[in-house]
Amino acid sequence: MRSDNVKKGLEKAPHRSLFKAMGLTDEELNRPLIGVVNAKSEVVPGHVHLDKIAEAVKAGIRTAGGTPLEFPSIGVCDGIAMGHIGMKYSLPSRELIADSIESMTLAHGLDALVLVPNCDKIVPGMLMAAARLDIPAIIMSGGPMLSIKKSGRDLDLNSVFEAVGAIQAGKMEAEQIREIEDHACPGCGSCSGMFTANSMNCLSEVLGMALPGNGTVPAVYAERIRLAKMAGMQIMDLLEKNMKPSDILNEKTFENALTVDMALGCSTNSVLHLPAIAHEAGIAIELDNINEISGRTPNLCKLAPAGPHHIQELYHAGGVQAVMNELSKKGLLHLELDTVTGRTIGENISHTAVKDYNIIRPIDKPYSVTGGIAVLKGNIAPDGGVVKRSAVAEDMLVHKGPARIFESEESAIQAIFGGQINKGDVVVIRYEGPKGGPGMREMLSPTSAICGMGLDKDVALITDGRFSGATRGAAIGHVSPEAMEGGPIAILQEGDMISINITEGTLNAELSQEEIDKRLAAWKAPEPKIKKGYLSRYAKIVTSASTGAVLSN
């Protein structure tokens, strides 16, 4: 066992003494040492209950003959960080999470890991650490928040953001927001739509790194606690078999994940995180592959923000495994792949079925014959941009309009709320990429403002930053190369005509190549927005969004 390095032999007596200082007995030290990485905090509603999940995991480990050792992970709440400097830290926190887990695991000789995340960057950060360390590991998330109905409407966090825009547009009275604010987030769990957190928790199942149910069993259900105990027991089986992430994660695994991503209509952020996880596993995901997979994968679910349904309804309809079963009817998945259950994908889904075809469409009657995410390329985005196609109104799949240029999210929000954006405009928000932001902020505030003001079927947004999983409308993010690296988005000017064709996967400015080259030759990089601390260091070594915004070595 790896932990023998910290507990076996005469020379390890000092080490054993330190373990015993924490109350561990010789019997406990003779068992495998299992790290339980707990992202519990009193800052993040998706994480406030993770102490209960971690205790259940530890009970499972002890039941199966291991000794659990819990240590913490940080976690940023994207909703609370939204719209101010805090959002600059969200994506960069993913790298801190992976690095800190690597540090703790190798420094203390742990044999295996159960990783307990829930929200946006914590799930991929932990999966990146698992792939990098390549010791037996399993993801056990905290589960989705419930959505409750008020005044005949199912609410979620996005309801509050859009209400702000509606008030600004005079479509709602200010006092009406209180009921939405008080009930949109009714308790613990990851926000209730198919936003980034739930996207990644669902895809953890598809990757084979989490037990079935991980993505959809609601946070407040006792079933979630039972699942956590099962995860604790299962890690001991994985350790006995020495089954590592490298035995599970391969090119076909990520192809499965992207396929289910398209069927579910997951957050565009999954196109950042899956390549980053794959990178840690030594696998490259090309953006062109994403469109290829999307082209053959039907969109089976319209979950918020793309439609009215929430994760609890996906759970009752059969969950992720039922979606996979439906996809398997057309041979769209690799079923022979191993998972942390000890069984293959095919074996896991063999006894599942869709229980409600109103939530999960039949494979022969999808919402669309192509997937929920599209990658666009053109002279604005030579390396690609990403849009959640399933959340775009039909009228906006093809759009042409004048560019409205903003050098930051804040200036764009000010213009939107100030009534300066007109129907047909294309809002361009730049210098918000991984380097330029720095940190590649999510921009739920401007997209929600546009939706709340009723302009989502008339106004498009493009940015080298990114959009929240809660965003709907023609919001195209991850434009690469980013402005700070001299990408063409940097030289767009007010009034340039922008042509968007999501159906054909194109994003272009109606400019000659000669004009583009002339403007690029005259362009100079602006001063960095942040010149000290972690974000300054991050900006110097982060790579493009098109490669997952991973850190260069």
Side-chain angles (χ1 to χ4, degrees):
M1 289 190 294
R2 296 169 186 81
S3 61
D4 288 350
N5 291 325
V6 296
K7 66 184 185 183
K8 286 291 178 90
L10 174 64
E11 68 278 12
K12 295 303 188 293
H15 303 64
R16 292 193 295 274
S17 178
L18 290 167
F19 280 116
K20 289 178 178 180
M22 295 181 283
L24 294 180
T25 65
D26 287 324
E27 289 78 10
E28 288 172 302
L29 287 175
N30 286 333
R31 299 171 183 169
L33 302 183
I34 312 299
V36 178
V37 189
N38 186 1
K40 194 268 182 192
S41 80
E42 295 182 351
V43 179
V44 186
H47 289 198
V48 72
H49 66 303
L50 293 187
D51 52 342
K52 297 178 178 64
I53 303 296
E55 284 302 320
V57 166
K58 290 189 286 185
I61 292 170
R62 294 189 185 102
T63 297
T67 296
L69 297 174
E70 183 180 337
F71 62 91
S73 167
I74 66 165
V76 171
C77 176
D78 278 25
I80 295 173
M82 196 73 65
H84 60 97
I85 191 173
M87 181 47 70
K88 293 179 183 288
Y89 286 89
S90 174
L91 183 60
S93 74
R94 186 187 71 180
E95 316 308 314
L96 289 175
I97 290 162
D99 290 351
S100 64
I101 293 170
E102 173 195 351
S103 301
M104 289 293 289
T105 302
L106 296 182
H108 299 101
L110 302 177
D111 295 304
L113 295 172
V114 181
L115 302 150
V116 185
N118 211 25
C119 289
D120 293 33
K121 307 308 165 297
I122 301 86
V123 184
M126 289 189 175
L127 281 165
M128 289 167 66
R132 182 188 304 175
L133 290 164
D134 202 28
I135 64 174
I138 190 168
I139 292 283
M140 181 57 232
S141 299
M145 185 184 292
L146 294 176
S147 170
I148 62 172
K149 192 181 292 290
K150 273 290 178 182
S151 301
R153 177 186 179 194
D154 291 315
L155 299 176
D156 56 45
L157 177 64
N158 205 27
S159 307
V160 195
F161 275 98
E162 292 192 6
V164 174
I167 291 170
Q168 294 282 351
K171 296 187 175 186
M172 180 185 289
E173 298 297 325
E175 56 267 19
Q176 290 179 271
I177 199 172
R178 185 57 181 265
E179 181 181 59
I180 300 173
E181 175 186 332
D182 286 351
H183 299 286
C185 299
C188 65
S190 47
C191 293
S192 55
M194 188 53 80
F195 310 150
T196 304
N198 290 324
S199 295
M200 294 310 302
N201 282 327
C202 288
L203 294 179
S204 296
E205 290 186 42
V206 188
L207 289 169
M209 290 297 295
L211 297 179
N214 178 76
T216 59
V217 176
V220 295
Y221 284 16
E223 184 181 349
R224 175 65 55 175
I225 299 297
R226 296 197 297 272
L227 192 67
K229 290 178 180 177
M230 291 167 60
M233 291 185 279
Q234 190 60 26
I235 194 64
M236 300 307 298
D237 185 62
L238 295 174
L239 180 59
E240 182 180 352
K241 296 174 180 175
N242 195 30
M243 191 172 189
K244 306 180 296 295
S246 60
D247 299 313
I248 295 171
L249 300 175
N250 56 48
E251 290 181 3
K252 291 182 178 179
T253 309
F254 286 97
E255 190 173 316
N256 276 355
L258 287 166
T259 299
V260 178
D261 189 339
M262 300 304 165
L264 286 172
C266 290
S267 164
T268 52
N269 283 313
S270 62
V271 180
L272 270 181
H273 300 319
L274 288 174
I277 298 162
H279 174 78
E280 295 290 352
I283 299 164
I285 294 179
E286 302 293 337
L287 286 186
D288 289 341
N289 296 345
I290 293 172
N291 269 353
E292 180 186 341
I293 293 169
S294 181
R296 64 174 184 256
T297 306
N299 179 217
L300 303 182
C301 298
K302 285 279 190 183
L303 300 160
H309 307 302
H310 291 82
I311 301 299
Q312 68 209 47
E313 293 164 278
L314 178 61
Y315 162 74
H316 289 295
V320 175
Q321 303 294 308
V323 173
M324 295 172 72
N325 187 302
E326 200 66 22
L327 290 168
S328 72
K329 294 176 181 178
K330 287 289 182 72
L332 294 173
L333 296 176
H334 301 286
L335 302 180
E336 75 282 6
L337 304 179
D338 291 323
T339 74
V340 292
T341 66
R343 300 182 297 274
T344 65
I345 291 284
E347 290 168 335
N348 285 344
I349 68 173
S350 62
H351 300 295
T352 65
V354 175
K355 300 174 183 177
D356 187 345
Y357 278 112
N358 292 313
I359 308 300
I360 303 170
R361 284 282 183 90
I363 191 74
D364 292 322
K365 296 181 180 179
Y367 285 102
S368 67
V369 295
T370 55
I373 292 176
V375 174
L376 312 184
K377 287 191 174 183
N379 62 15
I380 295 175
D383 294 340
V386 182
V387 64
K388 189 168 184 172
R389 175 165 48 191
S390 60
V392 180
E394 190 74 22
D395 294 345
M396 287 296 290
L397 290 173
V398 178
H399 180 76
K400 182 186 294 186
R404 304 297 307 280
I405 306 298
F406 301 96
E407 311 296 345
S408 69
E409 178 187 11
E410 287 84 357
S411 59
I413 292 173
Q414 185 176 4
I416 294 166
F417 284 148
Q420 299 172 34
I421 303 303
N422 304 310
K423 289 185 177 183
D425 285 350
V426 178
V427 175
V428 178
I429 306 175
R430 62 193 181 194
Y431 296 105
E432 289 287 4
K435 288 183 183 294
M440 201 180 184
R441 286 192 286 185
E442 280 186 352
M443 298 185 200
L444 182 56
S445 294
T447 58
S448 296
I450 283 174
C451 290
M453 297 171 80
L455 293 172
D456 56 300
K457 295 183 180 179
D458 300 289
V459 172
L461 294 91
I462 65 173
T463 182
D464 53 5
R466 59 196 177 92
F467 293 111
S468 167
T471 289
R472 61 186 176 94
I476 302 158
H478 307 195
V479 169
S480 301
E482 63 173 289
M484 196 66 175
E485 290 191 317
I489 191 174
I491 53 87
L492 294 178
Q493 296 176 3
E494 190 82 6
D496 285 344
M497 290 302 293
I498 307 298
S499 178
I500 300 166
N501 192 319
I502 295 172
T503 304
E504 295 183 359
T506 59
L507 175 63
N508 288 294
E510 294 189 349
L511 298 170
S512 68
Q513 190 58 50
E514 182 182 8
E515 176 63 18
I516 291 172
D517 292 341
K518 177 183 175 182
R519 292 186 191 182
L520 285 173
W523 174 82
K524 292 183 180 179
E527 283 289 308
K529 295 176 184 175
I530 294 180
K531 299 181 181 181
K532 64 180 180 179
Y534 174 54
L535 288 182
S536 175
R537 297 193 300 275
Y538 175 86
K540 292 173 183 175
I541 57 175
V542 68
T543 62
S544 171
S546 63
T547 56
V550 298
L551 301 184
S552 58
N553 293 327

